Amino acid sequence: MDCLFCKIVNGSIPATIVKQTEKITAFNDISPQAPTHLLIIPNIHFENMGKLSEADEKLSGEMLREASAIAKDLGLDSWRININTGASAGQSVFHAHIHLLGGRTFAWPPG
Ligand code: 5GP
Ligand code: ZN
């Protein structure tokens, strides 16, 4: 399948990988929106987090657990998770992912 993030998982496209387990890969976003901006993705392909959550509740929970563990490892005491599902919500890569952002203040509501 011609998917950018599948290629990052299998190593055929380079990325700065922060953590990789049997289930997930976490790597730096190429266009960071905060001092810390990682993407946490499942190693298997789902189109978006909505589809993944419906198909595999355990894996979606695992991704949140990893986000929290990585934030702790990086010493972040405040951090934000962003999940864009669908093009109108800002999704541009159609392999499920969680954005983990930290290191600055964030407005709420996000706009
Ligand atoms: P989305 O807009 O789908 O929620 O997020 C996709 C993210 O992937 C964007 O923040 C974008 O900067 C990031 N991205 C796109 N292409 C690449 C790439 O080739 N490498 C990395 N590391 N990040 C990418
Ligand atoms: Zn994929």
Side-chain angles (χ1 to χ4, degrees):
M1 191 193 300
D2 194 25
C3 169
L4 176 65
F5 285 178
C6 282
K7 289 177 181 168
I8 287 178
V9 171
N10 71 30
S12 60
I13 286 183
T16 305
I17 292 177
V18 172
K19 185 169 186 179
Q20 191 161 39
T21 70
E22 193 191 324
K23 301 279 185 200
I24 65 95
T25 301
F27 55 96
N28 287 337
D29 195 294
I30 205 166
S31 175
Q33 304 302 309
T36 296
H37 185 176
L38 307 181
L39 300 172
I40 300 166
I41 71 173
N43 292 342
I44 57 171
H45 184 90
F46 287 94
E47 186 182 333
N48 59 50
M49 284 302 295
K51 290 195 173 167
L52 182 155
S53 314
E54 287 169 19
D56 193 337
E57 188 179 343
K58 196 171 168 203
L59 180 56
S60 61
E62 173 84 3
M63 289 175 70
L64 284 175
R65 196 182 63 72
E66 289 290 359
S68 184
I70 292 167
K72 199 172 183 181
D73 285 350
L74 294 174
L76 297 173
D77 55 5
S78 292
W79 41 277
R80 176 170 288 188
I81 277 173
N82 208 87
I83 297 173
N84 302 327
T85 299
S88 306
Q91 188 177 3
S92 60
V93 177
F94 292 86
H95 178 126
H97 54 279
I98 289 176
H99 295 257
L100 172 64
L101 300 132
R104 66 169 171 85
T105 56
F106 298 95
W108 188 262

